[in-house]
Amino acid sequence: MNEPVKVIDLRSDTVTQPTPAMREAMYRAEVGDDVFGEDPSVNRLEALAAEMLGKEAGLFVASGTMGNLVSFLTHCRRGDEVIIGDQAHSFTMEVGGASALGGAQFRPLPNQPDGTLDLLDIQAALRPANIHYPPTRLICLENTHNRTGGRVLSREYVAAVRQIADRHGLAIHLDGARIFNAAVALGLDVKELTLNADSVQFCLSKGLAAPVGSLIVGSREFIQQARKNRKMVGGGMRQAGVIAAAGIVALTQMVDRLAEDHANAKLLAQGLADTPGIEIDPENVQTNIVIFSLARGDMTPQELENQLKERGVWLFAIGGRRLRAVTHYEILREDILTALAVFCEILN
Ligand SMILES: Cc1ncc(COP(=O)(O)O)c(C=O)c1O
């Protein structure tokens, strides 16, 4: 009988299974009613997250989408405007929650290829006081930036946005779904990247491999109000310590190893650059997301996705000529070499 072929699942870092240490921690988790503030594991996770990201308090939420939504609800009143990238996850992939549920309006600005918003574009988008205008309230940044290929926003860039925000009395929300990837890529303490944000959302269930959950961190006052907004959107989770326990393992054991995912992503990008019919600049691959283009007229990206899938390499065509592969802790160096051989087989 043939050996079953290992699926090399590069669709997303969200596909990761909990590690054995996480399952053990979940089994043993001390729990209580978190809506009463009595779940020791949730309390520990929230304190740990706040401490690691250099903020006063933390709040455990069900997902990155919920973390961003609750943050928007907490920063904004109905009719307020949020400056955000046109490729931001919160703008493109979160069902317009801030508008639908919070009455806030997005002001999308073009994301630059490196994931930033041009500082001049931000300046130009600020609304002066005028009876006709919605008040600008918030600037939302994303680090790493998913749709531009896991690009890292530098500490200096965020500091420059902070200066604009301070001059105009605005807050900054950081969608840091993959903020630890950014910190590891830059070799910085993550606090350096969150220092200039008023609120940060980050995900436990992406590269850090926990099964569920994200955290919001910010000032004590902000988190107190966010807790109320979380309740309003149905996010009071009771004995959530069962999943928070895995989150503690994610934060204490899974951060440093993200460097391996970045090395594997680079290896994949370099191999793809040498593969006929593929266009990619490996220099642009800074973290665990690899976006590349299929530059052949005789095959669509969807057909390439399908052919790869038949051979056990899973990834997504993401529109236009582009495809995306994401590395994570279940992907080994040898899997990347296998995937590259499959690409060659199909495209040669
Ligand atoms: C940058 C970014 N922000 C937020 C999210 C939302 O996270 P979740 O899927 O947990 O809602 C994602 C998910 O991929 C993301 O990539």
Side-chain angles (χ1 to χ4, degrees):
M1 228 168 67
N2 288 341
E3 283 283 300
V5 178
K6 176 184 175 187
V7 168
I8 300 172
D9 192 344
L10 298 165
R11 289 172 303 165
S12 176
D13 47 10
T14 57
V15 301
T16 44
Q17 299 278 317
T19 65
M22 287 177 187
R23 290 184 186 274
E24 180 71 20
M26 291 168 79
Y27 177 68
R28 299 193 180 283
E30 277 183 88
V31 297
D33 191 328
D34 179 50
V35 177
F36 300 161
E38 290 174 3
D39 188 301
S41 301
V42 171
N43 292 344
R44 213 172 302 136
L45 174 64
E46 291 179 343
L48 177 64
E51 201 267 317
M52 286 176 80
L53 277 81
K55 302 292 179 198
E56 285 175 2
L59 179 68
F60 188 39
V61 291
S63 66
T65 301
M66 185 187 270
N68 288 328
L69 171 63
V70 167
S71 300
F72 291 134
L73 292 174
T74 308
H75 283 293
C76 299
R77 289 186 300 188
R78 299 187 72 78
D80 283 351
E81 195 162 73
V82 179
I83 291 178
I84 192 166
D86 62 354
Q87 300 299 312
H89 196 277
S90 294
F91 179 59
T92 58
M93 303 290 280
E94 296 175 12
V95 209
S99 305
L101 305 175
Q105 163 167 303
F106 285 125
R107 179 86 182 272
L109 304 180
N111 271 118
Q112 301 304 307
D114 64 0
T116 60
L117 302 176
D118 190 308
L119 298 177
L120 294 176
D121 287 347
I122 297 179
Q123 293 273 12
L126 301 173
R127 308 272 196 187
N130 180 306
I131 195 170
H132 300 92
Y133 295 161
T136 310
R137 182 74 55 203
L138 183 69
I139 301 172
C140 178
L141 301 174
E142 183 177 312
N143 199 7
T144 64
H145 195 276
N146 183 344
R147 283 190 161 218
T148 54
R151 298 299 293 265
V152 174
L153 307 190
S154 69
R155 172 177 51 179
E156 293 73 20
Y157 172 75
V158 185
V161 176
R162 178 82 257 168
Q163 285 192 356
I164 299 175
D166 284 347
R167 277 203 299 279
H168 298 274
L170 308 178
I172 297 179
H173 173 66
L174 179 60
D175 177 358
R178 297 182 180 80
I179 193 67
F180 286 100
N181 292 86
V184 166
L186 292 172
L188 290 176
D189 186 325
V190 69
K191 286 187 190 79
E192 304 265 351
L193 296 177
T194 55
L195 174 71
N196 283 305
D198 298 282
S199 58
V200 184
Q201 177 284 124
F202 73 91
C203 295
L204 298 167
S205 62
K206 298 201 162 58
L208 301 182
V212 181
S214 286
L215 284 116
I216 306 170
V217 295
S219 70
R220 205 162 280 117
E221 195 187 345
F222 181 86
I223 292 298
Q224 197 179 0
Q225 189 56 42
R227 193 174 289 283
K228 192 156 176 142
N229 287 330
R230 181 188 71 171
K231 184 70 188 151
M232 185 170 66
V233 297
M237 293 188 288
R238 308 298 177 183
Q239 285 74 36
V242 171
I243 47 178
I248 294 169
V249 176
L251 285 179
T252 51
Q253 296 183 15
M254 300 298 283
V255 171
D256 292 344
R257 63 149 308 286
L258 292 172
E260 276 173 50
D261 300 344
H262 300 173
N264 284 334
K266 195 63 129 184
L267 181 68
L268 179 64
Q270 284 160 344
L272 287 173
D274 293 336
T275 305
I278 299 287
E279 277 179 3
I280 181 170
D281 182 352
E283 284 301 304
N284 291 338
V285 175
Q286 298 175 318
T287 57
N288 68 331
I289 300 180
V290 182
I291 293 182
F292 55 96
S293 296
L294 179 64
R296 274 175 42 160
D298 61 343
M299 186 187 281
T300 66
Q302 190 59 55
E303 283 164 350
L304 177 57
E305 178 190 316
N306 294 343
Q307 290 195 33
L308 286 162
K309 183 156 195 186
E310 278 168 21
R311 292 166 172 78
V313 178
W314 294 9
L315 45 68
F316 282 135
I318 56 166
R321 302 296 302 170
R322 301 193 317 157
L323 297 103
R324 188 188 83 161
V326 185
T327 57
H328 51 78
Y329 100 101
E330 288 169 16
I331 299 293
L332 309 175
R333 185 183 157 83
E334 68 212 47
D335 298 324
I336 299 295
L337 299 176
T338 305
L340 286 169
V342 171
F343 268 97
C344 273
E345 206 179 287
I346 295 170
L347 292 170
N348 268 325

